[in-house]
Amino acid sequence: MYRKLSNTFERNLAINPVDVEITILEQPSHCWGFRGITGDEATLSYRVNL
């Protein structure tokens, strides 16, 4: 994923990959939004492994 993002930035935006820093922060479930509710309100019929 990081390589693809960096390569896309380089190809489409002419930004050198050495000039790209990617940071991913996991948000707590109360910050998620889907199906019209927040993540901490959701009851899923499947297990999500993180």
Side-chain angles (χ1 to χ4, degrees):
M1 179 180 78
Y2 299 110
R3 184 175 293 119
K4 185 170 179 79
L5 281 170
S6 294
N7 290 342
T8 300
F9 289 166
E10 182 175 33
R11 183 177 57 252
N12 296 335
L13 304 173
I15 299 173
N16 192 316
V18 299
D19 295 325
V20 175
E21 181 176 316
I22 300 168
T23 304
I24 297 176
L25 301 174
E26 183 179 339
Q27 297 297 313
S29 60
H30 69 271
C31 293
W32 307 350
F34 62 98
R35 299 179 184 167
I37 58 176
T38 60
D40 60 345
E41 297 174 311
T43 302
L44 303 175
S45 61
Y46 54 89
R47 182 166 171 76
V48 177
N49 294 319
L50 301 175

